[in-house]
Amino acid sequence: MLSYQTIRRDVIKQSGDALHQAKKAIFALHRGDMSIGTDHLDQAVRTMKQWLSQHKKNTQMQSEGSFRAAVEEIVEATLLYNFLEGKKLKKITTIPVADDVFVAGLADVPGELYRYALKMGTEHNADEVRRAQALAEEIVESLIEFDLTKHLRNKFDQAKASLHKIERVVYELQISHTYGRA
């Protein structure tokens, strides 16, 4: 039990560090600083890879909440990065990702797309707002196919709410464009 607790404290610390780096990556990406964003994302992935290589025999630790939260944030940051770079969203291969953790990270992406849409809306970049809307719609439509329950159902509901907010940004841009010229 003592060994388990020692390893558990280590996974909590390392996962917290990785989660923090992934969050910093997301904020940098939103600021348009792709270089710093990728540096933070790479650091998050390196931290998780290092922990995984040190604890190959302790695979049960990958079910710890802190580990799963860090991986989920890395998924979210990676998918946001792919969107901003014009790449397709795809499976994360840099670290092991459980299917439900990937779904949770994917469900968080529309919230980031909403933040992006707001920024693009203030810059009157309707094309980018619509691109964010299209991806959020695609994500929500894909998540509808699953019978999500509990935590993942809450994430799905948040994704739908974020999509609705993006639709509102598109609507307001259209109204301002229509009536701004009158």
Side-chain angles (χ1 to χ4, degrees):
M1 286 183 72
L2 182 58
S3 175
Y4 177 85
Q5 288 302 320
T6 301
I7 295 168
R8 185 172 180 272
R9 280 192 297 274
D10 189 44
V11 76
I12 290 169
K13 168 150 184 5
Q14 296 299 320
S15 296
D17 291 348
L19 185 134
H20 182 68
Q21 289 297 322
K23 285 188 178 296
K24 287 172 73 172
I26 290 170
F27 289 123
L29 294 172
H30 276 299
R31 286 191 315 270
D33 197 335
M34 301 302 279
S35 176
I36 289 177
T38 56
D39 287 348
H40 287 302
L41 184 55
D42 290 345
Q43 180 59 45
V45 169
R46 276 194 306 275
T47 299
M48 297 305 283
K49 280 183 173 180
Q50 180 181 9
W51 189 91
L52 287 164
S53 72
Q54 290 173 347
H55 300 283
K56 290 178 186 173
K57 296 178 182 175
N58 296 309
T59 57
Q60 76 274 14
M61 285 297 162
Q62 293 179 31
S63 64
E64 284 289 332
S66 58
F67 183 91
R68 293 169 59 85
V71 173
E72 181 181 318
E73 200 70 25
I74 289 170
V75 167
E76 183 180 351
T78 302
L79 297 178
L80 176 63
Y81 171 79
N82 288 345
F83 165 77
L84 294 173
E85 287 292 304
K87 300 176 182 176
K88 290 205 176 268
L89 303 192
K90 59 185 177 182
K91 181 179 179 177
I92 308 300
T93 58
T94 52
I95 55 174
V97 179
D99 291 343
D100 62 323
V101 174
F102 181 84
V103 170
L106 177 65
D108 285 342
V109 172
E112 299 305 333
L113 294 173
Y114 169 60
R115 290 178 57 206
Y116 178 75
L118 281 177
K119 180 181 176 194
M120 292 297 102
T122 60
E123 296 174 10
H124 304 287
N125 189 337
D127 291 340
E128 281 300 294
V129 174
R130 284 189 202 93
R131 191 169 79 89
Q133 178 189 17
L135 181 57
E137 285 173 351
E138 186 178 334
I139 290 169
V140 169
E141 286 173 8
S142 68
L143 292 174
I144 285 173
E145 298 301 318
F146 300 100
D147 185 22
L148 301 175
T149 59
K150 300 178 185 174
H151 172 69
L152 291 178
R153 177 58 195 217
N154 290 337
K155 294 266 187 185
F156 173 65
D157 291 342
Q158 291 169 359
K160 288 191 309 186
S162 294
L163 172 57
H164 178 72
K165 291 175 185 178
I166 296 170
E167 291 168 342
R168 183 72 185 183
V169 172
V170 170
Y171 169 77
E172 289 177 8
L173 274 174
Q174 185 61 41
I175 293 296
S176 70
H177 177 75
T178 301
Y179 293 108
R181 294 186 173 191

